[in-house]
Amino acid sequence: MAPYESDRTAGAEGLPDEADDVRAGRRKAARYVVPVAVVGVAAATIGLVPALADSGDPSLPKITAEQLIEKIAKSDVQQLSGTVKVSTDLGLPSLGGLESGMLSGVTKGSGGSSADPQSKLMELASGTHTVRVAADGPDKAKVSVLENAAEYSIIHNGNDVWAYDSKSNEVYHSTAPAAEKGQEKAPKDVPTTPKQLADEALKSVDDTTSVTVDGTAQVAGRDAYKLLIKPKQSGSTVGAITVAVDAKTGVPLKFTLVPTSGGAAVVDAGFTQVAFAKPAASTFDFTPPKGAKVTEGKDSKDSKAPESAPSRGDLGKGLDGLKTVGKGWSTIAEFDTGGQGMPSGSSSQGGNVSGFLNSLGDHVKGKFGSGTVFSTRLVNALITDDGKVYAGAVTKDALVKAANAAH
């Protein structure tokens, strides 16, 4: 019962050779800002949701936080359709197109197909998007990201997973074994539904966490309880996570993550419309359009894990000596890039490039020597001059303390 801090219930409530140096600087900046983008996006999947709820607080029977978590865990809804609004504001540095390039290209693979979920869904890490979702059991699901004059869809139907980008007329196809009973009911490549996000957040519930029921709300026309998750520890950049849980079905309808710095939610994702009825069978039909470029992906059965957007467990792949320090919400990932570190300060070695890089972050010093802290509204990363990286949803001071302790 330690995680449940309160049993409060809810009821009625100038450069030389400028062009070359600038280009070189941007390339080096991308190299070092990319880890921040990746970690930030991964951390953001802990909680995505609009802070927009329908007006009116319904009167519902009282329930404890433990009972509400159990209600989520026992929810067995397998058929639904609806529209989700996703808004993300990580506060990544704007570098004249570099930001969007990092987000869409940092995990680009599978022959560079624009329809590959690994690269396409990274776009959800910035701005506001409208997403349509549908599911019919564990083997049929569809997620469509709607754009101004285009649509990107992922369709899971039996053993086939299709992804289609109408803007480029490209198709990505892979196969997956039929899902077993109890498995996730939507493609694992798509961290867009409040259910998936709530599951991730609840994994963080331990004795470092306060969990309470914080009143009620209406979301997408449905009565819901509000589950409030807050770190007890100091030093975390996560202020609070709120999950609106459908009172009847136990399905998370809305998920909001607010940083300790205040202001708008870092990431918002929640249903604006939802129905718990069987979608039409044709919803999950897909045939590549005439003339479309089709890229075949690696069968998931031949790999140890399904292809997906980067997760917290994937961040250390290809990095030397990955380890974590700290506990709970104050956990920091520590690893070695294997590089020479970053030029910092005003040394002749760094020159104008060092000044450009320092303009993207805060220069810090300690027992570890010198380094630069790159920040988003949720995740910070310290990169030292000798190539060590310390990253987490923690404050700058916490990163400096961790780096000092390691030396």
Side-chain angles (χ1 to χ4, degrees):
M1 291 295 291
Y4 310 102
E5 183 179 73
S6 168
D7 222 13
R8 185 170 76 239
T9 56
E13 352 236 321
L15 300 172
D17 196 5
E18 294 177 344
D20 289 340
D21 275 4
V22 169
R23 283 193 292 269
R26 286 183 181 274
R27 285 194 298 271
K28 291 189 178 183
R31 172 186 174 190
Y32 292 108
V33 180
V34 163
V36 183
V38 175
V39 179
V41 172
T45 63
I46 294 174
L48 281 160
V49 187
L52 302 174
D54 293 348
S55 61
D57 294 336
S59 177
L60 294 170
K62 293 182 178 181
I63 191 171
T64 67
E66 186 173 19
Q67 289 171 336
L68 188 52
I69 290 177
E70 290 175 352
K71 190 177 186 70
I72 296 173
K74 292 178 180 179
S75 178
D76 61 353
V77 171
Q78 297 197 33
Q79 298 175 332
L80 66 81
S81 59
T83 302
V84 178
K85 182 179 179 181
V86 180
S87 297
T88 311
D89 182 9
L90 286 170
L92 290 171
S94 178
L95 300 173
L98 180 58
E99 175 183 355
S100 60
M102 289 188 303
L103 294 176
S104 63
V106 69
T107 58
K108 196 167 186 177
S110 305
S113 172
S114 69
D116 179 6
Q118 285 188 307
S119 57
K120 187 66 178 180
L121 291 176
M122 291 290 285
E123 295 178 10
L124 292 178
S126 179
T128 298
H129 305 271
T130 298
V131 181
R132 288 180 182 164
V133 301
D136 183 9
D139 294 326
K140 292 185 178 182
K142 182 176 182 179
V143 176
S144 299
V145 181
L146 310 182
E147 300 175 352
N148 290 335
E151 179 176 318
Y152 174 77
S153 296
I154 297 177
I155 304 98
H156 177 202
N157 193 343
N159 292 338
D160 291 302
V161 177
W162 297 93
Y164 176 58
D165 184 359
S166 68
K167 183 182 295 184
S168 63
N169 197 29
E170 291 192 24
V171 174
Y172 175 89
H173 174 251
S174 64
T175 59
E180 298 178 2
K181 183 177 181 181
Q183 277 191 304
E184 186 62 55
K185 302 171 183 62
K188 292 185 180 296
D189 302 86
V190 189
T192 55
T193 67
K195 172 68 167 77
Q196 292 171 310
L197 302 169
D199 287 346
E200 286 300 311
L202 291 175
K203 290 177 184 178
S204 301
V205 173
D206 57 18
D207 60 4
T208 68
T209 311
S210 163
V211 185
T212 58
V213 178
D214 189 33
T216 63
Q218 270 208 338
V219 179
R222 298 185 66 88
D223 293 346
Y225 293 103
K226 294 191 296 183
L227 186 69
L228 181 64
I229 303 170
K230 299 178 68 174
K232 291 181 180 179
Q233 300 166 299
S234 61
S236 175
T237 55
V238 177
I241 292 173
T242 302
V243 183
V245 183
D246 186 72
K248 184 175 181 180
T249 66
V251 173
L253 300 175
K254 184 178 178 228
F255 192 110
T256 307
L257 187 152
V258 177
T260 53
S261 59
V266 172
V267 217
D268 294 339
F271 283 101
T272 58
Q273 180 181 358
V274 65
F276 298 102
K278 183 181 178 69
S282 59
T283 302
F284 311 103
D285 292 338
F286 180 79
T287 300
K290 184 177 180 180
K293 175 186 174 182
V294 179
T295 299
E296 290 291 336
K298 188 175 182 179
D299 291 355
S300 62
K301 64 183 179 181
D302 295 327
S303 100
K304 294 182 180 180
E307 296 178 354
S308 64
S311 68
R312 284 171 292 180
D314 295 330
L315 297 178
K317 288 183 178 179
L319 301 173
D320 296 330
L322 174 70
K323 63 179 181 179
T324 59
V325 295
K327 178 184 178 182
W329 300 87
S330 298
T331 300
I332 296 173
E334 176 185 338
F335 52 88
D336 192 336
T337 64
Q340 298 178 349
M342 296 182 60
S344 60
S346 56
S347 67
S348 57
Q349 180 182 8
N352 287 305
V353 171
S354 74
F356 176 72
L357 293 174
N358 280 323
S359 70
L360 303 178
D362 296 328
H363 184 59
V364 295
K365 292 183 178 181
K367 294 179 181 179
F368 54 87
S370 299
T372 303
V373 175
F374 295 103
S375 301
T376 72
R377 297 181 63 221
L378 184 65
V379 173
N380 293 321
L382 165 60
I383 303 176
T384 64
D385 288 357
D386 60 358
K388 302 295 192 303
V389 177
Y390 303 85
V394 297
T395 62
K396 178 175 71 174
D397 289 344
L399 293 178
V400 171
K401 182 177 180 180
N404 281 333
H407 288 73

